[in-house]
Amino acid sequence: MKVYINGKFVDEAKASVSVFDHGLLYGDGLFEGIRAYNGRVFRLEEHIDRLFYSAKAILMKLPMSHKALCAAVVETCRRNKVRDGYIRLVVTRGTGTLGLDPNRCSNPQVIIITANIQLYPKAFYDKGLTIVTVPTTRNHTNAVNPAIKSLNYLNNILAKIEATNAGCVEAIMLNSQGYVAECTGDNIFMLKDGKMFTPSLASGALHGITRTVVMELAEGLDIEVTQPNLTRYDLYNADECFITGTAAEVVPVVKIDGRKIGTGRPGKHTKAFMQAYHALTNASGSAI
Ligand code: PXG
């Protein structure tokens, strides 16, 4: 596998950054998790849009244009003969001196890695997930805004560990006000009486690409989606619940904090979204 670093393709074993890179020293950088299906990169432009929004928020000047970044992702897939796979785009602040000041970093590193996608077990999709609410809350919007897809994921990693300790693969994270924000690496949706609900970005949800796609699909299915403040009580009493993310796609949730959701089996709307999502990923995207 060849890794893209600042315009060059480097052997996987030789691909490296400096130990003085602020991405490593302080988590000062950004990333995107992108996926290719059937020889096409799914929603590539939207991922790069989000990268630019995150960069703006952390005052990082990306060293490449939007168009050049899209082209670099496609070219990295081409070099590695990726048809279906996972693409990790990382931008670090670059090499600097010890000390927080990002102005001492002059060489942001743009890294593109391709890898085989680690598919979740089929049982997750057939039977649905059991998840729990964890004590670690989503970042406060006045700290590192949760909309920023930064290299500093420790908050979510702690929540993930808490989920794992509870025997679950995902966790519900609440925001600092106690409302539902999202999961550690996935957005969350619920349905009640035919209407769909998902936490707003202000509630601490990442502007998930899969989330947006599902909301577009809902429009096509004539399902109304709103973004109110949601509590755990709302989730417990939902008819259906599912989570969304680039890696997970659409996964049913059938139990939350010991409460059975709906019938305790993946719901009909959830199944419709899973199917519609697959159809779209297989038939659209930027050609490799
Ligand atoms: N919330 C958080 C906190 C995330 O990190 C999502 C929601 C879902 O967003 P998308 O745009 O994927 O629908 C994410 C995405 C990884 C990995 O390698 C992480 C994500 C996506 C893909 C891979 O850990 N997080």
Side-chain angles (χ1 to χ4, degrees):
M1 207 259 295
K2 297 274 189 193
V3 177
Y4 174 104
I5 306 185
N6 299 328
K8 295 203 174 73
F9 287 94
V10 185
D11 278 338
E12 185 178 334
K14 293 201 173 128
S16 59
V17 292
S18 163
V19 293
F20 291 99
D21 192 301
H22 279 209
L24 174 69
L25 290 175
Y26 302 112
D28 188 353
L30 305 168
F31 80 100
E32 279 296 323
I34 313 171
R35 200 156 159 183
Y37 294 88
N38 202 19
R40 294 191 182 99
V41 183
F42 188 63
R43 298 276 164 138
L44 175 57
E45 297 202 346
E46 287 85 342
H47 280 282
I48 304 300
D49 287 346
R50 186 169 65 186
L51 183 72
F52 271 86
Y53 295 140
S54 291
K56 175 98 182 241
I58 70 162
L59 291 108
M60 178 191 274
K61 186 168 167 17
L62 295 175
M64 292 165 69
S65 68
H66 190 288
K67 201 170 153 208
L69 273 165
C70 288
V73 168
V74 169
E75 182 57 24
T76 308
C77 290
R78 212 173 276 155
R79 292 267 180 139
N80 290 301
K81 299 190 168 50
V82 170
R83 283 190 60 76
D84 294 272
Y86 179 58
I87 303 151
R88 166 60 64 89
L89 173 54
V90 181
V91 188
T92 72
R93 189 78 75 169
T95 308
T97 51
L98 294 180
L100 298 181
D101 190 353
N103 294 322
R104 300 232 177 97
C105 306
S106 55
N107 59 343
Q109 302 288 296
V110 178
I111 300 164
I112 306 170
I113 307 165
T114 58
N116 288 329
I117 185 90
Q118 299 262 311
L119 294 178
Y120 289 118
K122 192 169 172 293
F124 286 12
Y125 301 89
D126 293 343
K127 298 206 169 85
L129 294 180
T130 293
I131 62 176
V132 283
T133 312
V134 293
T136 298
T137 57
R138 196 71 177 101
N139 285 336
H140 193 284
T141 46
N142 289 337
V144 178
N145 192 298
I148 300 169
K149 209 157 159 56
S150 85
L151 289 184
N152 204 316
Y153 252 50
L154 203 43
N155 199 55
N156 295 41
I157 290 167
L158 291 178
K160 181 86 173 181
I161 291 169
E162 288 158 0
T164 308
N165 286 346
C168 297
V169 294
E170 253 302 1
I172 292 172
M173 299 181 77
L174 306 177
N175 65 23
S176 53
Q177 289 178 291
Y179 295 112
V180 176
E182 59 175 343
C183 296
T184 68
D186 298 293
N187 290 110
I188 190 160
F189 285 86
M190 59 161 273
L191 284 122
K192 180 78 178 170
D193 299 330
K195 292 185 174 160
M196 196 147 93
F197 307 92
T198 193
S200 66
L201 305 188
S203 288
L206 182 79
H207 196 179
I209 308 295
T210 321
R211 174 182 182 273
T212 302
V213 171
V214 163
M215 288 164 87
E216 287 169 13
L217 292 172
E219 207 177 333
L221 295 169
D222 243 356
I223 299 172
E224 184 196 315
V225 190
T226 55
Q227 303 176 42
N229 282 333
L230 293 172
T231 63
R232 287 185 297 144
Y233 169 91
D234 296 321
L235 292 181
Y236 299 157
N237 288 294
D239 298 326
E240 297 184 35
C241 178
F242 62 87
I243 60 173
T244 65
T246 297
E249 303 179 320
V250 179
V251 193
V253 172
V254 294
K255 205 175 206 188
I256 301 175
D257 299 335
R259 281 81 161 178
K260 192 165 81 173
I261 306 305
T263 61
R265 300 165 73 94
K268 66 170 194 242
H269 293 100
T270 305
K271 286 187 192 160
F273 283 114
M274 290 164 74
Q275 211 172 30
Y277 188 75
H278 281 153
L280 195 64
T281 53
N282 272 312
S284 63
S286 309
I288 292 169

